Amino acid sequence: MLFTVVFSVAFVAFSANAAAIRPREVKTFKFQVNDPTKGIYYLAGNGAGTKDETKALTCELTTGVAATPDVIKCGGKGFPKFGGDMTKLTGTTSGGSAGWSIDANDNIQWSAAKDVKFSIGIGSANDVYAETCPHHWTTHGTAKAIWIVPVPAESNNIAA
């Protein structure tokens, strides 16, 4: 009986400790911007937008812990810190900016400034911007995570 109680307490303690040290969750997606004027674009290399989802960068949101905040990386690179009222989402090899999240409706949000929106470049440009700019855009876009669903490994049951 004493062994059962000690074993049970040890198991519960181990389980609680294992939950506390679990690895961070990584979510893989395409970064889609829905600009009300220019339509739907996806983030591609060097901060450019593309209408072709197959050319979009693969992105990851690493949900952080207190010492490591939530960071989005696309194509293996983070984004610069938000500056002024508009920041081009060009990849940087540094750790990347923090404060990113994806809500229950798959909307990408960035807490770097109040009410950050996502829009496609000025004029004919197709660059992707995070912005709070009242004078370059009269209508503002939004960003969504388009989840990449892993393809299941092929079955070992091959028909003859």
Side-chain angles (χ1 to χ4, degrees):
M1 172 90 167
L2 178 61
F3 174 76
T4 304
V5 170
V6 171
F7 179 76
S8 297
V9 169
F11 180 75
V12 169
F14 175 76
S15 297
N17 191 34
I21 59 172
R22 69 184 172 159
R24 298 183 321 168
E25 182 179 357
V26 177
K27 302 174 182 179
T28 307
F29 59 95
K30 302 288 183 171
F31 194 114
Q32 181 193 74
V33 174
N34 186 352
D35 185 292
T37 304
K38 295 188 175 186
I40 293 176
Y41 279 80
Y42 299 89
L43 182 64
N46 205 27
T50 178
K51 288 196 168 266
D52 184 350
E53 184 178 355
T54 64
K55 294 181 180 175
L57 295 172
T58 298
C59 302
E60 295 179 341
L61 169 65
T62 304
T63 54
V65 293
T68 310
D70 298 339
V71 173
I72 284 183
K73 290 190 176 183
C74 295
K77 296 181 178 181
F79 297 125
K81 292 184 178 183
F82 192 81
D85 58 6
M86 52 194 274
T87 299
K88 183 177 173 183
L89 296 183
T90 304
T92 176
T93 55
S94 67
S97 56
W100 293 90
S101 63
I102 299 172
D103 70 15
N105 295 317
D106 302 328
N107 296 305
I108 298 172
Q109 299 169 342
W110 191 13
S111 65
K114 184 178 179 181
D115 202 24
V116 173
K117 303 294 186 198
F118 299 91
S119 298
I120 301 300
I122 302 163
S124 64
N126 67 338
D127 299 324
V128 177
Y129 285 90
E131 51 89 10
T132 59
C133 187
H135 52 275
H136 284 108
W137 288 275
T138 55
T139 56
H140 303 274
T142 57
K144 284 213 175 266
I146 305 302
W147 301 108
I148 298 173
V149 179
V151 177
E154 289 185 353
S155 171
N156 288 334
N157 299 330
I158 300 173

